[in-house]
Amino acid sequence: MRRPTKERVKTVAQIDGIRNSDAGTRLDPWHGAYASRAHGLRSSEIRALFAVVSRPEVVSLAGGMPNLKDLPLDKLAESARSLIQRHGAQAMQYGSGQGWEPLRQRITEVMTYDGIQADPDDVVVTTGSQQALDLVSEIFLEKGDVVLAEAPSYVGALGTFRAYEGEVVHIEMDDDGLIPEALEEAIRDLRAQGRTIKFLYTIPNFHNPAGVTLSEERRPQIVEICKREHVLIVEDNPYGLLGFHSDPLPALRSYNPEGVVYLGSFSKMFAPGFRIGWALAPHAIRDKLVLASESAILSPSMVGQMAIEGYLSNYDWYSQVKTYRGMYRERSEAMLSALEDKLPGLEWTKPEGGFYTWLKLPEGLDAKAMLPRAVTGLVAYVSGTAFYADGRGGDHIRLSFCYPPPEEIKEGVRRLARVIHAEKELVDMFGTNVRTEIPDDAVSAPAPDQV
Amino acid sequence: MRRPTKERVKTVAQIDGIRNSDAGTRLDPWHGAYASRAHGLRSSEIRALFAVVSRPEVVSLAGGMPNLKDLPLDKLAESARSLIQRHGAQAMQYGSGQGWEPLRQRITEVMTYDGIQADPDDVVVTTGSQQALDLVSEIFLEKGDVVLAEAPSYVGALGTFRAYEGEVVHIEMDDDGLIPEALEEAIRDLRAQGRTIKFLYTIPNFHNPAGVTLSEERRPQIVEICKREHVLIVEDNPYGLLGFHSDPLPALRSYNPEGVVYLGSFSKMFAPGFRIGWALAPHAIRDKLVLASESAILSPSMVGQMAIEGYLSNYDWYSQVKTYRGMYRERSEAMLSALEDKLPGLEWTKPEGGFYTWLKLPEGLDAKAMLPRAVTGLVAYVSGTAFYADGRGGDHIRLSFCYPPPEEIKEGVRRLARVIHAEKELVDMFGTNVRTEIPDDAVSAPAPDQV
C-alpha cells in the first residue's frame, strides 16, 4: 500500500539538501487554497534522515530516542491492568482541557527538583511538550515576529516557530550557555530595526543540540535582562533531571515566575509513548494555553495522564531517573573517549547530562555534503544545518549517545573518524566538497520520527 | 490550590452570556504581546456549563460524553497488561508522525462501513478528531477566509475556525440535512462579495447538535456542487456507526475521494480516553497534515494507537458498536416519548442515531436566559446559541440522551417541561425574558469538558 518509489526519490532529495515541500504541487488541485503558513511546513532534516538510518548495519548517532531498556515493564504492565480494571470508566472517558488535577499536583512535585514552587492550577498538561511549544507559538506569534533562540537551537522548535511564521534570530552561546551580552545586543539591535520580539526560547540544561548548560552565574543575568526588556522567556527543560553528576541548577522560572513559561516532559525522564508533557505559565498566559489546547485536542489522554500519575505515585521514579543518569553517563563517556582517541585535534562540547555533543568539523568540510558518504560508511549523524533557521551550521554535526550501547557508540565514532579523514583528504586535494547521491538501496522504510 | 472565588465569578459570567476572554487583562503584563488569533480564543458555552451541571442532583441533558458502561473493562485491562509486557519498549517509545501503520490499516477497514475504499497511506492518526480539525484549519485558514457550515454546527469546530480567524457562514438545514440549493446560493453570494471560501464543514450523520442526517439523495448533490465550485469538503463523522437501525449511508468521501477530507474518531464507537482519531485526505493535503501534526505534537501516542489497534484486531468491535446502538436507541426513545408526553405542541428533530435532538422553544423564550432557571430546576441543556457563529440559536436548545439512563432522561424532560411552562407564563405575562443570576452555590468544581 505504500508508495516506495515516490518516497525514495523524496527522501534522497531531502538528504541532499533540497527542500521540496512544494514538490508535486502542480498535481495538487488544492494548492491555491492553502494558508501561507502551510507553505512554511517542511520535513525536518532529521525526519528525512530516519528513512536512511533505520538499516540495522548503520550505527545511528543521529536520533534522540531515549533508551527504555531499564524500564520495569512487568510492573508497568501490571499497573496498566489495574488502572483499566479499577478506573477504566474514568481513564477511557474525556478529561478536562487543562489536565487531570492529581497529575498536575505530581508535576509540581517533579518541578521542585528545578527549584520551582508552583501551584497545580498554573500547570497545563499537553500532548508532549511539543504541543506546549505549539500552543505558546499559536498564542504569541504573528507573521514576522522575532523569536530569540540559542545558536544552534532545537530543530522541532524551529519548525514550530516557522509554522506560525515567526522568524528566529539566533544568539551566540559558549561553554557556559547563552551569552548575556549577546542577548542584550540582539534585543537592542532588533528594536532599533523596529522588529517585534515575542520571546526568548532557551534550553538551559544539556542543550539540544549543543550539549552545554547555562551556568548558575548567568541564570539570574539572563532573567534580569529579559525582565528589564520585557521579553518573555520560554524555558524548555526535557533533559534537566538527566544530569550525570547532580540535580539540576535552578530553573530560570525560579527567578521570575511571572516572566517565564516553563515546558516540561516525561519523554526523557520516563518514556515518550504516552505523549504527556506540560507547561507551567503565568496565570493569564495559562488561561490562553488552556483555551488553545481545548481548541486543538479538547483534552489530553486520560489513560496517559492516569498512567503517569500512577507511575509517579507508586514507583520510586527518582531511582529510575538515577538509573537513567548512570546509563547515559556511561554512553557519554564512551563517546567522548572515542572522540579523543579517534579525532584528536577536533573540538566538541563536554555535556554534563542529556543526550548530545556538538562537534566542529575540520576547516573546509560540509556536514550536509558529507552525510551521504557517512551513511555509506555505515554511520549517521545530524548535520548542524538542521539546528539553524538561517542556513548556518554546515561546520558542525550533532552526535547523540542516548540510544546505541557503548560498544556501538565507539564503533560509530571509529567509522565517523574514517569518513572525516577521507573527506579531509578530498578537500585538501580538490579544495571543495563533492556531493554524492545516496544509492537507492540505502533508503528503507520510514522509521520512528522524533528529535 | 484552586482559586474558587475567581473561577466562580468567571463561570457565572459566562453562563450569563458575557464573553470575558479578556477579563483581567489589565493585570496581565503580557497582554500586549499576544497574537491577534489569541484574542479569538474563548471558553465555549458548553465548557462553562460543565462547572454548573456537575452537581449530582442536576439531570444533565447537556453533555456529549459517551456512555462507557458496556465496555468489557476486565478484558481491556488484560489487553493493556499484555500490550505493555510484550510490546512495552515499542509502545512507550516515540512513533511516526503520520501514525502507526497497522492502526492505519485497521482504520481503512472501519471506514469500509461508510462505503470508503482507502489506502492506509492516506490516513493520518491524530489526538482525537479534534486535532484533525485543528490541523485542517491550520493549513487552510487565513484571517477572514470563509468556512461554510450547517446552521447550527458543532461548537468545537466553530471554536477552532475562530482560533484560526476564519469566519463561519451557516447554511440552512431541514430534516434531510444540508439543503443543496442553500449551499449553491451561499457560494454564489459569497463569491459575488469577493469572499474566499476555503471549505464546507459538514456532519452528515446524526448531526451535532441538530440530530438530523443528510439524505442519501442529497449526498451526491452536495458533492457535485462542491466539485463544480471547487470547494473542499471536510466531512466530520464521529457518530456514523451509531445509527439506531442501520449501517451508515455512504460517506461524501465515497463519491469524490479527491475533494473530501474525512475525519473519524474512536471516541464514540469505542472510547475517548486514548484520544485517537484520524483524517483521511487527498494525498497532497495528507502530506501537509502530517507535517503540521509533527510540528504540533511530534507523533500521536504509541500506547494509545497500539491499544486501539489491539481492540480492533482482537475484539468483535462491531458487536460492541451494535450494543452501543441499542443502548443509545433506548435512551433516544425515552427522550422522544417524554417530549411527546410533556411538551406536546413543540418541535424537535427525530434522530436516527447519535446523541442529540434539537428542540425549538415556544415563541418568545430565550434559551440562554432560561438556562439559569433550568439549572435551578435541576435540569441542564445547551443553549442553541453555542452552535452558531453569528449570534443566532436563542430559540433552540440541544438535548443529549447519551449519558443519563432512560429513567433519568424522562425525569430530566419532566423538569425541563416545568421550566419551559413557567418561562412561557412569565413571557406571556410580562412579554419579556427576565435574566437571573445563578446562585453561587450552584457552581461546583469544573467537571470533564467535552462537547
Side-chain angles (χ1 to χ4, degrees):
Chain A
M1 299 299 221
R2 290 182 49 258
R3 302 177 182 184
T5 312
K6 190 179 166 199
E7 291 291 325
R8 274 184 194 179
V9 171
K10 186 175 168 185
T11 307
V12 171
Q14 286 171 333
I15 292 284
D16 204 39
I18 300 164
R19 300 290 201 169
N20 68 342
S21 70
D22 280 355
T25 48
R26 276 157 304 191
L27 299 174
D28 176 7
W30 303 107
H31 184 245
Y34 297 120
S36 69
R37 73 175 78 84
H39 299 288
L41 293 169
R42 293 177 197 143
S43 191
S44 83
E45 297 189 25
I46 290 185
R47 190 172 85 111
L49 192 65
F50 275 96
V52 179
V53 303
S54 61
R55 286 190 300 162
E57 63 271 32
V58 174
V59 173
S60 176
L61 307 176
M65 285 202 292
N67 190 307
L68 305 178
K69 75 178 178 62
D70 294 318
L71 280 181
L73 288 185
D74 282 354
K75 283 194 199 170
L76 292 170
E78 180 50 32
S79 297
R81 192 199 56 71
S82 162
L83 168 64
I84 301 291
Q85 188 162 52
R86 294 168 57 203
H87 305 289
Q90 185 181 9
M92 312 268 274
Q93 193 51 275
Y94 289 106
S96 101
Q98 185 179 355
W100 195 43
E101 205 280 338
L103 176 61
R104 289 188 280 113
Q105 179 67 49
R106 294 288 170 207
I107 285 171
T108 61
E109 291 162 23
V110 169
M111 290 190 290
T112 60
Y113 288 90
D114 294 308
I116 292 175
Q117 301 301 322
D119 187 328
D121 192 41
D122 291 335
V123 173
V124 184
V125 179
T126 53
T127 302
S129 65
Q130 186 74 24
Q131 196 208 349
L133 201 51
D134 186 68
L135 298 175
V136 168
S137 301
E138 180 184 339
I139 69 171
F140 282 107
L141 295 183
E142 304 269 9
K143 185 172 188 169
D145 282 349
V146 171
V147 176
L148 304 173
E150 282 118 353
S153 185
Y154 165 52
V155 59
L158 299 182
T160 300
F161 303 149
R162 189 170 54 225
Y164 287 95
E165 303 183 279
E167 288 179 23
V168 170
V169 172
H170 291 286
I171 312 288
E172 293 306 312
M173 284 196 285
D174 60 20
D175 287 345
D176 289 326
L178 201 60
I179 300 169
E181 295 74 20
L183 174 63
E184 278 185 306
E185 199 182 318
I187 294 172
R188 196 171 52 236
D189 289 355
L190 286 161
R191 290 198 169 148
Q193 295 164 35
R195 302 293 299 276
T196 301
I197 301 169
K198 282 296 170 74
F199 53 81
L200 165 67
Y201 171 76
T202 177
I203 307 170
N205 298 320
F206 323 127
H207 191 272
N208 175 7
V212 302
T213 293
L214 184 64
S215 68
E216 187 157 13
E217 191 190 350
R218 283 188 184 171
R219 291 181 182 231
Q221 297 171 13
I222 297 291
V223 170
E224 192 49 42
I225 291 167
C226 287
K227 191 172 178 182
R228 194 176 63 229
E229 299 293 340
H230 198 61
V231 171
L232 182 70
I233 295 175
V234 177
E235 176 177 29
D236 195 3
N237 192 28
Y239 309 101
L241 285 171
L242 298 178
F244 301 145
H245 306 289
S246 58
D247 280 342
L249 294 174
L252 299 179
R253 200 274 183 188
S254 69
Y255 296 96
N256 183 20
E258 289 307 308
V260 179
V261 176
Y262 172 100
L263 312 184
S265 172
F266 292 105
S267 294
K268 275 77 181 185
M269 61 166 276
F270 174 44
F274 292 104
R275 308 303 300 118
I276 300 290
W278 72 90
L280 169 69
H283 204 74
I285 295 177
R286 186 228 64 169
D287 275 353
K288 294 214 182 296
L289 292 177
V290 171
L291 292 173
S293 188
E294 288 175 344
S295 175
I297 62 162
L298 291 186
S299 62
S301 163
M302 276 301 281
V303 176
Q305 291 183 87
M306 293 178 81
I308 296 228
E309 195 276 337
Y311 176 74
L312 295 173
S313 297
N314 305 324
Y315 287 75
D316 184 358
W317 65 269
Y318 200 70
S319 281
Q320 179 66 45
V321 163
K322 286 183 185 161
T323 304
Y324 278 153
R325 285 178 180 174
M327 175 190 63
Y328 291 127
R329 181 176 59 233
E330 189 193 353
R331 286 163 191 228
S332 154
E333 286 165 358
M335 177 167 279
L336 297 188
S337 70
L339 287 171
E340 278 166 35
D341 200 30
K342 302 295 175 192
L343 287 164
L346 295 197
E347 287 171 28
W348 53 87
T349 55
K350 314 287 181 295
E352 291 289 314
F355 288 7
Y356 309 107
T357 182
W358 182 240
L359 180 139
K360 190 171 190 320
L361 292 175
E363 189 72 26
L365 266 60
D366 179 313
K368 223 161 158 177
M370 187 174 78
L371 184 54
R373 287 186 286 277
V375 173
T376 305
L378 302 181
V379 62
Y381 58 80
V382 182
S383 163
T385 48
F387 307 99
Y388 283 91
D390 57 8
R392 279 187 288 168
D395 55 348
H396 276 83
I397 64 177
R398 186 189 78 176
L399 297 174
S400 64
F401 47 79
C402 48
Y403 202 72
E407 278 313 309
E408 239 181 78
I409 290 174
K410 286 182 189 171
E411 176 58 27
V413 172
R414 270 194 292 274
R415 293 175 188 176
L416 178 68
R418 275 202 297 271
V419 171
I420 289 178
H421 290 140
E423 196 81 356
K424 184 85 170 65
E425 271 181 38
L426 265 182
V427 168
D428 289 348
M429 212 180 301
F430 299 105
T432 179
N433 255 281
V434 188
R435 295 211 172 197
T436 320
E437 292 285 318
I438 298 175
D440 241 10
D441 65 0
V443 183
S444 59
D449 310 347
Q450 33 68 46
V451 285
Chain B
M1 299 299 221
R2 290 181 49 258
R3 299 175 182 185
T5 311
K6 190 176 166 200
E7 293 290 327
R8 274 185 195 179
V9 171
K10 186 174 168 187
T11 306
V12 170
Q14 286 170 331
I15 292 283
D16 203 39
I18 300 163
R19 301 288 200 171
N20 69 341
S21 69
D22 280 356
T25 48
R26 277 157 300 191
L27 298 173
D28 177 9
W30 303 107
H31 183 246
Y34 297 118
S36 69
R37 72 175 78 83
H39 299 288
L41 293 168
R42 292 177 197 143
S43 192
S44 83
E45 296 188 26
I46 291 186
R47 192 173 85 110
L49 191 65
F50 274 96
V52 179
V53 302
S54 60
R55 285 189 302 163
E57 63 272 31
V58 174
V59 173
S60 176
L61 307 176
M65 286 203 293
N67 191 307
L68 305 179
K69 75 179 177 57
D70 294 318
L71 279 180
L73 288 184
D74 282 356
K75 284 193 197 172
L76 291 169
E78 180 51 31
S79 297
R81 193 199 57 70
S82 163
L83 168 64
I84 301 290
Q85 188 162 52
R86 295 167 58 202
H87 305 289
Q90 184 181 8
M92 312 266 276
Q93 191 54 273
Y94 289 106
S96 102
Q98 185 178 355
W100 196 42
E101 204 280 340
L103 175 62
R104 288 188 280 112
Q105 179 67 50
R106 295 286 170 210
I107 284 171
T108 61
E109 291 162 22
V110 170
M111 289 189 291
T112 60
Y113 288 90
D114 293 308
I116 292 175
Q117 299 302 320
D119 186 328
D121 192 40
D122 291 334
V123 173
V124 184
V125 179
T126 53
T127 302
S129 65
Q130 186 74 23
Q131 195 207 351
L133 201 50
D134 186 68
L135 298 175
V136 169
S137 302
E138 180 185 338
I139 69 171
F140 282 107
L141 295 183
E142 304 269 10
K143 184 171 186 168
D145 282 348
V146 171
V147 176
L148 304 173
E150 281 118 355
S153 185
Y154 165 52
V155 58
L158 298 181
T160 300
F161 302 148
R162 190 170 53 224
Y164 287 95
E165 302 183 278
E167 288 179 23
V168 169
V169 172
H170 290 286
I171 313 288
E172 291 307 313
M173 283 196 286
D174 60 21
D175 287 345
D176 288 327
L178 201 60
I179 300 170
E181 294 73 23
L183 175 62
E184 278 185 307
E185 195 182 322
I187 294 172
R188 196 171 51 235
D189 289 355
L190 286 161
R191 290 200 169 143
Q193 295 163 33
R195 303 293 297 277
T196 301
I197 302 168
K198 283 296 173 70
F199 52 82
L200 165 68
Y201 170 74
T202 178
I203 307 170
N205 298 320
F206 323 128
H207 190 273
N208 175 6
V212 301
T213 293
L214 184 64
S215 68
E216 188 158 13
E217 189 190 351
R218 284 187 183 172
R219 291 180 183 232
Q221 296 170 11
I222 297 291
V223 170
E224 193 49 42
I225 292 167
C226 287
K227 193 173 176 181
R228 194 175 65 228
E229 300 292 342
H230 198 61
V231 171
L232 182 70
I233 295 175
V234 177
E235 176 178 26
D236 195 1
N237 191 27
Y239 308 101
L241 285 171
L242 297 179
F244 300 145
H245 305 288
S246 57
D247 280 343
L249 294 174
L252 299 179
R253 200 273 184 189
S254 68
Y255 296 96
N256 182 20
E258 289 306 309
V260 178
V261 176
Y262 172 101
L263 312 184
S265 171
F266 292 106
S267 293
K268 275 76 181 186
M269 60 165 274
F270 173 45
F274 292 105
R275 307 303 301 117
I276 299 290
W278 71 91
L280 169 69
H283 205 74
I285 295 176
R286 187 227 64 171
D287 275 353
K288 295 216 182 292
L289 292 176
V290 171
L291 292 172
S293 188
E294 288 175 344
S295 175
I297 62 161
L298 291 186
S299 62
S301 164
M302 275 301 281
V303 176
Q305 291 183 87
M306 292 178 82
I308 296 230
E309 195 276 338
Y311 176 73
L312 296 173
S313 299
N314 305 324
Y315 287 76
D316 184 359
W317 65 269
Y318 200 69
S319 280
Q320 179 67 46
V321 162
K322 286 183 185 162
T323 304
Y324 279 153
R325 284 179 182 175
M327 175 189 64
Y328 291 128
R329 182 177 56 233
E330 188 193 353
R331 286 163 192 228
S332 153
E333 286 164 359
M335 177 168 280
L336 297 188
S337 69
L339 287 171
E340 278 166 36
D341 199 31
K342 301 294 173 193
L343 286 165
L346 295 198
E347 286 170 32
W348 54 87
T349 54
K350 314 288 182 292
E352 291 289 314
F355 286 7
Y356 309 108
T357 183
W358 181 241
L359 179 138
K360 189 167 191 323
L361 293 175
E363 189 71 27
L365 267 59
D366 177 315
K368 223 161 158 177
M370 186 174 77
L371 185 54
R373 286 186 287 277
V375 173
T376 306
L378 302 182
V379 62
Y381 59 81
V382 182
S383 162
T385 48
F387 306 99
Y388 283 90
D390 57 10
R392 279 187 286 167
D395 55 349
H396 277 82
I397 63 176
R398 187 189 78 176
L399 298 175
S400 63
F401 47 79
C402 49
Y403 201 72
E407 277 313 311
E408 239 178 78
I409 289 175
K410 287 182 189 170
E411 175 59 26
V413 172
R414 269 193 292 274
R415 293 176 188 175
L416 179 68
R418 274 201 297 272
V419 171
I420 289 178
H421 290 141
E423 195 81 356
K424 184 85 172 63
E425 272 181 37
L426 266 184
V427 169
D428 289 348
M429 212 179 301
F430 299 105
T432 179
N433 255 281
V434 188
R435 297 213 169 198
T436 320
E437 291 287 316
I438 297 176
D440 240 11
D441 64 1
V443 183
S444 60
D449 308 349
Q450 35 65 45
V451 285

